[in-house]
Amino acid sequence: MEAAQEYLKEQNEFDDNDEPSSLPYNSPFRSTRLHIQRSNVCSRAYFVVVMVFFHVYILNVIALLLYVHYNNGPGDLVSGDGGSSAADSDNGKRLPHPAPSSRELHVEDYSQSFSLPRIEGIRVGHVQRVSLVPDKTHEMKTLSLKPLLFEIPGFLSEEECRVVVQLAQLKGLMDSQATASSQEQEESNQPLLSLSTEEVFSLLDLNQDGLLQKQEIVSHSHSQDGTWLSPDNLRQILTGLESCPTGMLTLGDFRHVYDVSQHPGQEKSGKLHSQFKQRSKHTWLFQGPGSHHVLRTLRNRVTSLTRLPSALVELSEPLQVIRYEHGDFSNSHYDSSPSNSETTCAHTRLAGNTSALTEVPCRYLTVLFYLTSVEEGGESTFPVADNRTYEEQALVQDGVDLTDTQETCSRGNLRIKPTAGTVIMWYNHLSDGRGWMGELDEYSLHGDCPVRRGVKWVANSWINVDPDYQQQARYQRVVAQRHQAKSGMDYQSLSHSDLHQDL
Ligand SMILES: *[C@@H]1O[C@H](CO)[C@@H](O)[C@H](O)[C@H]1NC(C)=O
Ligand SMILES: *[C@@H]1O[C@H](CO)[C@@H](O)[C@H](O)[C@H]1NC(C)=O
């Protein structure tokens, strides 16, 4: 109304001016006036629109904050070395489950069982606080998003580092598989050394108490040393152990159970990485019942850190401790394996009848402990971390091989200097988008630069997960059933006893 009146007023003014030639100039003039007025009117609407957007934006920010809190918060608050089990299984359950409508095959299993929590990286350099031990919070910094990689300084105390190194030294270190020269390569093509019954017993007896407990056999999985036990061997031993009234095997019992004439280890892990080179010494430390309290504590802390169901962590490989002396290194490699129809995960072999397939390590994530600081060299290198693209062929260019850490360590995208007590953790696999483990993350390629000065001690804690959810579930059922069948025996408490250890 007002506008119309004003317009009329203007019209009158123009009329009063009474200039005959004004018309051609008039219309543009008038239209500008009108435009100004219209935009005045519009600006109110504009204001409303802006306010609506503003509110939507604020709501989005709040939703995002809630989302981040939801994913990271609850675990931080409750999980600690003492209470990790409950906290983590709760955390797993609280995760959103996939909408049933859009899921085809494994709906039931996905909805009734656990999923794999995944920590948010947010962005490179992002720092989040995590509560892993009762009296302290740790800072966890995102180092890269491809692979999703975190650094947690002070994860281990100096004392804990020292204990792990000492335990490894007591256990004795063995040479890592090295295929440095053609002669050695030839050797590695030979059938594996045949182990005596005593040697097999000793290798299986992870806590070296002279008895084989079930968990030692269950948790014994394929390592890069090569498979020295076939699934048949392993099942044979387990069956023997179960028929034994004490539920444990002495060396004497073991002789009856294990048939040494069955040739162990026809398969070579070297097949997969035929050019994989490394030089170092390593050993395996069992972290289950009967092991040193520091080792059990560390395992619980890994559960808290990764927020994975404690059963997964407990059924994973023993801790691998590695020593790199001057010049020792490892070329870039993957800790896990791409899934394909010709391979099967080593750790779930008890649940499968697929001994014909090649066994490969399946490791959802790696937690790498730095047990010493290194004066010079010895960095962990991730040559393609956060690279814009990744192509395997692009790793070798102009005669430069990015996986050759002896030559090209300085060219990698990300290098991490070992600092005693620091832990780095990364996901070897992507998510499958349904709360389970997906494809191998090609960006997780990593190696160890040669040590130039000092000695580097590290430990690897690998969390084994089968990308085939059904197979993993079957495996865990097999283990659980066997635990139940032995109720009244120690086994009943095996998987939980160590969760209530004091620091
Ligand atoms: C084992 O073999 C049987 C029969 O050959 C088959 O029905 C079953 O699905 C197999 N199990 C696995 C885990 O492959
Ligand atoms: C890393 O990214 C660059 C830029 O996209 C690309 O040219 C190069 O080939 C990538 N490297 C690898 C190993 O794929």
Side-chain angles (χ1 to χ4, degrees):
M1 279 296 278
E2 264 175 33
Q5 277 167 3
E6 265 177 43
Y7 175 72
L8 282 176
K9 236 164 96 186
E10 274 169 27
Q11 279 294 54
N12 292 338
E13 276 168 23
F14 284 126
D15 291 345
D16 290 347
N17 285 347
D18 204 19
E19 279 180 39
S21 63
S22 70
L23 239 148
Y25 300 97
N26 225 357
S27 1
F29 176 60
R30 207 189 292 164
S31 74
T32 26
R33 288 293 297 253
L34 281 174
H35 177 74
I36 289 165
Q37 283 165 358
R38 203 184 301 131
S39 71
N40 280 342
V41 172
C42 284
S43 71
R44 217 171 287 152
Y46 183 70
F47 175 74
V48 170
V49 168
V50 165
M51 285 314 283
V52 166
F53 272 110
F54 181 70
H55 280 89
V56 167
Y57 175 76
I58 292 290
L59 283 176
N60 268 322
V61 168
I62 290 170
L64 183 69
L65 285 174
L66 282 173
Y67 175 74
V68 168
H69 177 78
Y70 176 73
N71 273 286
N72 298 335
D76 295 354
L77 295 176
V78 278
S79 57
D81 273 343
S84 57
S85 156
D88 284 296
S89 50
D90 278 4
N91 212 17
K93 274 178 212 139
R94 249 182 270 134
L95 272 185
H97 282 291
S101 57
S102 58
R103 308 298 161 219
E104 340 72 24
L105 291 170
H106 310 313
V107 178
E108 262 185 22
D109 288 276
Y110 271 104
S111 54
Q112 71 194 15
S113 242
F114 54 84
S115 58
L116 300 176
R118 216 174 152 86
I119 299 171
E120 300 285 321
I122 314 291
R123 64 186 144 68
V124 173
H126 177 77
V127 175
Q128 43 194 311
R129 299 191 142 268
V130 289
S131 169
L132 306 169
V133 293
D135 51 350
K136 185 178 172 187
T137 58
H138 289 83
E139 292 196 338
M140 177 162 73
K141 184 173 169 189
T142 308
L143 295 190
S144 76
L145 297 175
K146 296 189 298 183
L148 189 49
L149 170 68
F150 301 95
E151 179 186 59
I152 306 99
F155 185 89
L156 300 97
S157 68
E158 267 176 48
E159 172 72 9
E160 286 167 339
C161 292
R162 208 173 46 75
V163 167
V164 176
V165 168
Q166 274 179 355
L167 288 172
Q169 281 170 323
L170 281 173
K171 180 101 189 263
L173 298 156
M174 44 198 159
D175 278 317
S176 292
Q177 171 197 336
T179 54
S181 70
S182 59
Q183 195 196 348
E184 274 168 318
Q185 237 161 31
E186 247 167 57
E187 275 169 22
S188 74
N189 288 335
Q190 309 255 312
L192 266 179
L193 57 152
S194 51
L195 300 164
S196 71
T197 309
E198 288 78 14
E199 282 166 330
V200 171
F201 185 85
S202 174
L203 282 170
L204 279 172
D205 184 14
L206 293 163
N207 63 0
Q208 298 283 300
D209 63 353
L211 294 167
L212 282 190
Q213 285 90 358
K214 208 187 103 196
Q215 213 203 2
E216 287 171 324
I217 295 165
V218 167
S219 78
H220 201 96
S221 56
H222 179 101
S223 69
Q224 290 200 345
D225 309 329
T227 321
W228 43 272
L229 273 179
S230 71
D232 290 338
N233 286 148
L234 203 63
R235 265 196 294 275
Q236 184 190 5
I237 295 167
L238 197 67
T239 313
L241 188 142
E242 277 164 356
S243 61
C244 189
T246 56
M248 286 182 242
L249 291 178
T250 62
L251 180 57
D253 302 330
F254 187 68
R255 284 212 176 86
H256 295 297
V257 167
Y258 178 66
D259 182 6
V260 77
S261 62
Q262 272 202 340
H263 239 339
Q266 306 89 336
E267 294 165 50
K268 278 296 297 172
S269 66
K271 243 189 277 171
L272 287 168
H273 299 280
S274 51
Q275 305 108 330
F276 177 65
K277 287 185 199 171
Q278 67 176 22
R279 205 176 80 198
S280 60
K281 284 183 164 29
H282 76 270
T283 192
W284 300 90
L285 296 178
F286 182 62
Q287 294 184 275
S291 62
H292 194 281
H293 72 92
V294 165
L295 295 177
R296 284 174 297 164
T297 301
L298 287 178
R299 190 166 71 172
N300 293 343
R301 209 174 293 162
V302 165
T303 309
S304 302
L305 174 68
T306 58
R307 298 164 195 169
L308 291 171
S310 51
L312 268 186
V313 179
E314 280 160 36
L315 289 177
S316 290
E317 292 169 72
L319 188 72
Q320 187 194 39
V321 184
I322 315 179
R323 181 179 69 196
Y324 296 88
E325 289 172 5
H326 180 260
D328 286 356
F329 68 96
S330 78
N331 274 354
S332 293
H333 60 280
Y334 295 110
D335 280 355
S336 193
S337 323
S339 41
N340 72 54
S341 55
E342 273 123 53
T343 59
T344 177
C345 289
H347 74 281
T348 51
R349 72 176 87 154
L350 270 172
N353 46 7
T354 47
S355 41
L357 299 179
T358 310
E359 290 183 0
V360 293
C362 300
R363 296 158 172 163
Y364 181 53
L365 58 77
T366 302
V367 182
L368 176 68
F369 304 173
Y370 292 116
L371 302 172
T372 56
S373 303
V374 181
E375 288 168 64
E376 198 185 324
E379 299 94 340
S380 300
T381 173
F382 289 77
V384 291
D386 278 334
N387 207 52
R388 203 162 61 76
T389 57
Y390 172 77
E391 271 177 80
E392 204 177 340
Q393 300 94 304
L395 286 171
V396 186
Q397 262 171 4
D398 312 324
V400 174
D401 182 353
L402 279 177
T403 66
D404 182 354
T405 51
Q406 284 181 292
E407 299 296 329
T408 59
C409 241
S410 56
R411 295 188 186 222
N413 285 358
L414 176 64
R415 257 166 304 139
I416 300 154
K417 195 174 157 49
T419 308
T422 294
V423 147
I424 58 171
M425 170 181 92
W426 68 91
Y427 292 85
N428 295 307
H429 286 258
L430 304 169
S431 168
D432 72 346
R434 304 187 290 188
W436 199 248
M437 161 168 147
E439 287 298 305
L440 183 72
D441 187 349
E442 290 170 319
Y443 292 90
S444 69
L445 189 73
H446 64 279
D448 299 271
C449 303
V451 171
R452 298 290 172 215
R453 209 138 45 88
V455 177
K456 172 176 153 185
W457 282 91
V458 298
N460 281 306
S461 181
W462 283 304
I463 310 301
N464 300 120
V465 179
D466 200 312
D468 178 353
Y469 177 85
Q470 301 296 339
Q471 179 80 349
Q472 178 74 33
R474 215 177 293 131
Y475 167 63
Q476 292 190 207
R477 265 202 307 275
V478 166
V479 175
Q481 272 163 10
R482 291 186 166 163
H483 280 248
Q484 264 164 19
K486 287 277 164 192
S487 61
M489 314 286 321
D490 281 338
Y491 302 116
Q492 188 64 3
S493 55
L494 272 190
S495 56
H496 300 292
S497 58
D498 51 332
L499 294 169
H500 304 294
Q501 293 295 325
D502 293 324
L503 263 172

